[in-house]
Every structure is written in structure tokens, then in C-alpha cells.
Amino acid sequence: MTMTLLEIMRTSSVIPVIAIDDPEHAVPLARALVAGGIRVLEVTLRTKHGLEAIRAMSAVPGAIVGVGTLTRPEEFAQARDAGAVFGVSPGLTSALVAAAKSSGLPLLPGVMTPGEVMAARENGFQQLKLFPAVPAGGIGMLNALYGPLPDITFCPTGGISQETASQFLACKNVACVGGSWLTPKDAIAAGNWDRITEIAKAASGLRLA
Ligand SMILES: O=C(O)C(=O)C[C@H](O)[C@H](O)COP(=O)(O)O
């Protein structure tokens, strides 16, 4: 099943940004998130286990697994071959544009200024990650971007919490938000999957305004 980026963003109001320190955690973590109603999972390449985790989590029923922290062109084909169905990068370069096109992996590129939004749009990207969302200006920035650039849909990420997510989701140009708050390191290390499911349930109850 091939999904467009917009379909993926509309599947889930909240996308967890996941870093796997121990490959044994990948499958139970994915199951716990899916059990809580969170199906779209961004597995970052921040740790050396990222690709292995993507491979394992992709086999969990209901999970829609993407790759995060794409910063180098060669990572696109590697992540696609591991089973990722979308990719997220903290920024956009011409090499990443080319890698996204040649790999066929739908990419959500990171931007933080109006000029970067316009450059991304010139390269064919209309769904963008505002990163880092809160340091970049947060809700005020998103509302300001809507004026001149209303055709862009954002997934703000960076500094968002369960408490602030609904304010972001109320912005006209936001389809979903990303965040690491769904996967606290202490809960993962302790194998406290029930706690992750509870956090996921609270997050999946957040809706677009
Ligand atoms: O690793 C990546 O690819 C990133 O782009 C960074 C993450 O999206 C943010 O670090 C998540 O932000 P927090 O929810 O504030 O932890």
C-alpha cells in the first residue's frame, strides 16, 4: 500500500519521534504505540539501530513506519530498503532533493524560515516540517506563514508537548505535530509498555481543530 505524505499526515494528529537505543525495544514499543492508537511512527537515525528498528517495526500490524533524521543522501535508499514508507529530515539540501526523487521515498523536509519554505516549494514539496518548531517561533510563526504561503501544510516538531499540541493542531496550516514526548527514555528502558500505551492514548485523542 503506497500512501502519499498528506495521507500519512492525516492518519495521525501526532507522530512520535523515536530513538531506539536497544534493538530489543523496537517491536514492543511499536506494539504499545499502535495499541494506543498511534500508527504513524518516525524512527530516527540518531542511533545506530535505526535501520534495524525500522525493519522490525514495519512488521508490526497497523504500524506505518518512516525514517527520521535523514541528513545524508545515501540514507534514503537504505531506509526505503529497510521498509520505511516516508522520510523526515531536519532541513533540505539539493542532494537530499535528488535522493528523495531517485529513491521514491515521500519526504517531509524541515524548514524554519519563509525563504526555506519557498525553496522547498520550488522543489515540489508542499508538506513541510517546521523545525525546530518552538525555537523557530511556534504558533506565531505558523500563523504568520499562513498569510503569504497558505498552500503549505506543516508538521511542526521540536519543543511540543501533550499540553501544547492542541494549540498547534488548531493552526489552519497544521496537519499533525511531531514529538519525542510519547516515548520517554525511562519508560522504554524499564520496558513499561503500558505507560507508553497510556501516553499514546492521550495523544491519539488530540484532534485537528
Ligand atoms: O532527529 C530528528 O530528525 C529531528 O529532526 C529532531 C526531532 O524531530 C526533535 O528532536 C523532536 O523534538 P522534541 O519533541 O522537542 O524532542
Side-chain angles (χ1 to χ4, degrees):
M1 180 184 59
T2 309
M3 293 176 85
T4 66
L5 205 49
L6 204 52
E7 285 167 347
I8 291 169
M9 292 167 84
R10 287 183 175 151
T11 298
S12 189
S13 301
V14 179
I15 300 179
V17 178
I18 299 167
I20 293 289
D21 293 314
D22 177 347
E24 296 287 316
H25 293 152
V27 166
L29 178 63
R31 286 196 184 124
L33 289 163
V34 171
I38 295 289
R39 295 180 55 210
V40 178
L41 314 178
E42 177 188 337
V43 181
T44 65
L45 299 181
R46 283 182 176 223
T47 73
K48 61 177 191 238
H49 305 298
L51 292 174
E52 185 184 350
I54 288 167
R55 203 168 285 116
M57 291 161 110
S58 297
V60 171
I64 299 166
V65 181
V67 58
T69 332
L70 286 171
T71 60
R72 296 184 175 88
E74 62 272 20
E75 293 164 346
F76 283 71
Q78 292 166 357
R80 182 204 57 204
D81 293 348
V85 296
F86 70 97
V88 186
S89 64
L92 191 59
T93 66
S94 48
L96 295 192
V97 172
K101 290 198 173 135
S102 68
S103 69
L105 196 66
L107 175 66
L108 182 70
V111 292
M112 74 169 278
T113 66
E116 289 174 7
V117 174
M118 290 156 64
R121 188 174 63 181
E122 283 172 12
N123 281 297
F125 299 94
Q126 277 190 273
Q127 291 87 43
L128 306 175
K129 162 176 168 166
L130 180 67
F131 177 78
V134 171
I139 289 158
M141 180 67 155
L142 288 158
N143 290 338
L145 288 168
Y146 184 74
L149 301 160
D151 55 330
I152 303 296
T153 306
F154 290 95
C155 175
T157 305
I160 301 177
S161 65
Q162 172 70 25
E163 289 68 39
T164 59
S166 53
Q167 296 159 34
F168 281 90
L169 291 168
C171 294
K172 285 196 193 74
N173 49 357
V174 168
C176 59
V177 303
S180 62
W181 86 85
L182 292 93
T183 52
K185 282 202 178 293
D186 60 339
I188 296 176
N192 193 346
W193 311 121
D194 289 346
R195 180 164 161 232
I196 303 273
T197 297
E198 287 311 309
I199 297 170
K201 277 185 185 161
S204 62
L206 295 166
R207 293 274 169 259
L208 285 173

